[in-house]
Amino acid sequence: MRGRMIHNLSGKKSVLPYGTNSQYILSISRKNLNKDLLTAVETYPNAKVHFGQRLVKCNPEEGRITVVGSNKIPKDVTCDLIIGCDGAHSAVRTHLMKKPRFDYSQRYIPHGYMELTIPPRNGAYAMEPNYLHIWPRHTFMMIALANMEKSFTCTLFMPFEEFEKLRTSSDVLNFFKEYFPDSIPLIGEQALGEDFFLLPAQPLISIKCSSFHLKSRCVLMGDAAHAIVPFFGQGMNAGFEDCLVFDELMDKFNNDFSLCLPEFSRFRIPDSHAISDLSLYNYIEMRSHVNSWQFLLQTSIERFLHALMPSTFIPLYTMVTFSRIRYHEAVLRWHWQNKVINRGLCVFGSLMAMGGVYLLVSYISPRPLGYLRRLPWTGNRFFWNMGRISLQTLRSH
């Protein structure tokens, strides 16, 4: 996907590129990705995969976990390192939360999400497939992502109280006619009325914790360490980056867990908190700011400055998505760039205002500076008189 395609109320579409012509992001099936990862694991002879096991107890200090399989019999497993990659509702993290000095916070945002489908049209995509389609409506929005089988998955993000107002198929149809009229023929009126009530709106959670490790025996990664809302598309990337950073630290410290794990926490916590905050910000940008001319102007200025000075001015989205710049460093740099741009716009605006005043005065009076030239402080005689006054004053003293 090469950019965002914005759908306004009238059905008009406009494109906001993600970056340069050669830059794009990938929308990947999570199901197929999981299959590929499991296939990759199976190529390692020293890796064993056990399915259908539920963690019931975790003792990181002793490097022991207790799991229960289909036979319902608890089984103790001893290991050198426990890596908790078990998602937003992590059982490993639940056990770490009982330990002293483990900070944890979770936040359910007031908005939920619901998925709908745009089917293929005559065996082809019903819309342009290489864009993230967005219907921004200020306090809520709908997006659509293309699938390989020529369909689109639509996701409606909206406050729960707004979902609760839509009780019948007629309510849903009227709501879409008002806010997403061009999507109705794509989804289909009957499918829209039926699919909307298949599942209730689902919640969105944001989780922060610190630290990510316990001594040298246990570490959290991925959503278990930093579950974020999906609006920057960085949740899976942040999890993969955990693995990349951890691998680099293992090389740096020669696989010494006692050095690697504390450094992993120190290094990754600022970045995980930063991308969590950025994801919440990007929701506001997607549902509201993309409709603002001020935002579009600033985006154009950023792209222009990036083209002139590619290593000095880098748009936030480019830093986050197309570079290894750390998330928290991207935020700091973004704030600095905004200050520079805003001050530049203020100076430019002031110069334009001064120029406008001068032109206005020139239009009113043929000689706009004539009055100033006739004032007593103009000309050599004034400065000569000032000099005489000064000399006389000195002589009097």
Side-chain angles (χ1 to χ4, degrees):
M1 298 182 294
R2 302 188 179 279
R4 300 165 174 170
M5 183 163 286
I6 310 301
H7 296 243
N8 65 20
L9 273 173
S10 66
K12 183 181 177 182
K13 294 181 284 188
S14 57
V15 173
L16 296 177
Y18 282 133
T20 64
N21 291 334
S22 62
Q23 290 175 325
Y24 53 85
I25 66 173
L26 299 173
S27 174
I28 300 174
S29 163
R30 188 179 293 264
K31 177 181 176 181
N32 291 335
L33 178 62
N34 285 338
K35 290 180 179 179
D36 290 340
L37 290 173
L38 287 171
T39 301
V41 167
E42 291 172 346
T43 64
Y44 291 85
N46 59 340
K48 296 181 181 179
V49 181
H50 303 271
F51 293 97
Q53 306 291 314
R54 182 170 61 88
L55 179 69
V56 294
K57 189 176 181 181
C58 181
N59 191 335
E61 291 90 348
E62 299 178 8
R64 187 174 70 251
I65 61 174
T66 303
V67 297
V68 173
S70 57
N71 58 8
K72 307 296 182 182
I73 300 175
K75 178 183 177 181
D76 288 339
V77 180
T78 302
C79 46
D80 296 319
L81 179 65
I82 301 168
I83 306 178
C85 299
D86 48 342
H89 302 285
S90 167
V92 176
R93 188 187 65 234
T94 299
H95 290 282
L96 296 187
M97 288 167 59
K98 302 172 185 176
K99 305 300 178 182
R101 300 175 62 191
F102 185 91
D103 292 329
Y104 169 79
S105 67
Q106 73 172 39
R107 174 188 175 189
Y108 281 99
I109 68 171
H111 294 232
Y113 73 95
M114 177 178 291
E115 291 190 347
L116 302 166
T117 301
I118 294 177
R121 177 177 290 178
N122 300 323
Y125 286 107
M127 299 187 297
E128 298 85 348
N130 298 114
Y131 295 93
L132 168 63
H133 292 262
I134 307 178
W135 289 259
R137 299 300 181 258
H138 298 292
T139 58
F140 55 89
M141 71 174 183
M142 186 170 71
I143 67 171
L145 291 168
N147 299 312
M148 296 301 291
E149 63 274 15
K150 310 294 185 183
S151 66
F152 282 86
T153 297
C154 298
T155 310
L156 175 61
F157 297 97
M158 195 164 63
F160 278 101
E161 55 265 29
E162 296 299 324
F163 278 113
E164 292 165 1
K165 293 177 182 178
L166 306 178
R167 300 179 181 277
T168 67
S169 297
S170 178
D171 293 338
V172 173
L173 186 59
N174 290 335
F175 174 80
F176 270 73
K177 285 181 178 178
E178 181 176 359
Y179 294 107
F180 312 114
D182 61 325
S183 72
I184 296 176
L186 300 173
I187 300 173
E189 289 190 12
Q190 183 176 350
L192 178 59
E194 294 174 355
D195 294 350
F196 193 90
F197 298 100
L198 289 177
L199 289 172
Q202 301 298 304
L204 294 163
I205 192 171
S206 178
I207 288 173
K208 295 179 180 180
C209 69
S210 177
S211 64
F212 291 167
H213 78 286
L214 181 65
K215 298 183 179 179
S216 62
R217 306 302 292 269
C218 184
V219 64
L220 300 173
M221 293 188 189
D223 283 356
H226 44 72
I228 61 177
V229 293
F231 304 113
F232 222 119
Q234 286 293 307
M236 189 179 295
N237 286 347
F240 281 139
E241 193 170 67
D242 285 344
C243 302
L244 180 62
V245 170
F246 189 79
D247 184 57
E248 292 170 346
L249 293 175
M250 289 283 279
D251 288 340
K252 179 179 179 180
F253 295 111
N254 297 317
N255 300 336
D256 187 339
F257 294 152
S258 65
L259 298 176
C260 180
L261 269 61
E263 180 64 12
F264 177 76
S265 282
R266 185 198 68 79
F267 191 89
R268 287 300 287 169
I269 287 171
D271 294 328
S272 69
H273 291 182
I275 192 57
S276 177
D277 296 336
L278 281 175
S279 297
L280 289 167
Y281 160 78
N282 214 46
Y283 182 34
I284 301 172
E285 178 175 302
M286 292 172 69
R287 77 184 193 221
S288 179
H289 290 176
V290 292
N291 286 325
S292 165
W293 68 266
Q294 294 98 327
F295 171 80
L296 298 176
L297 173 62
Q298 178 142 345
T299 300
S300 299
I301 293 172
E302 288 175 352
R303 295 187 67 196
F304 174 74
L305 292 174
H306 181 51
L308 287 180
M309 300 172 284
S311 60
T312 303
F313 275 87
I314 308 176
L316 175 65
Y317 197 91
T318 300
M319 286 190 283
V320 171
T321 308
F322 302 119
S323 81
R324 279 292 304 275
I325 296 174
R326 295 176 61 185
Y327 291 130
H328 85 279
E329 291 177 354
V331 172
L332 294 175
R333 192 164 179 169
W334 174 50
H335 289 319
W336 174 79
Q337 291 178 173
N338 282 343
K339 286 183 180 179
V340 172
I341 292 173
N342 290 337
R343 288 176 181 175
L345 289 174
C346 285
V347 172
F348 179 75
S350 299
L351 293 175
M352 290 292 291
M354 292 170 61
V357 171
Y358 178 81
L359 292 174
L360 179 63
V361 173
S362 300
Y363 177 77
I364 296 174
S365 172
R367 297 189 63 182
L369 299 180
Y371 175 72
L372 294 176
R373 293 192 185 99
R374 293 193 297 271
L375 292 175
W377 55 73
T378 60
N380 294 332
R381 184 175 181 81
F382 171 74
F383 291 105
W384 168 248
N385 290 335
M386 285 291 292
R388 291 178 62 188
I389 293 170
S390 299
L391 287 172
Q392 290 173 359
T393 303
L394 287 171
R395 286 171 185 157
S396 66
H397 287 285

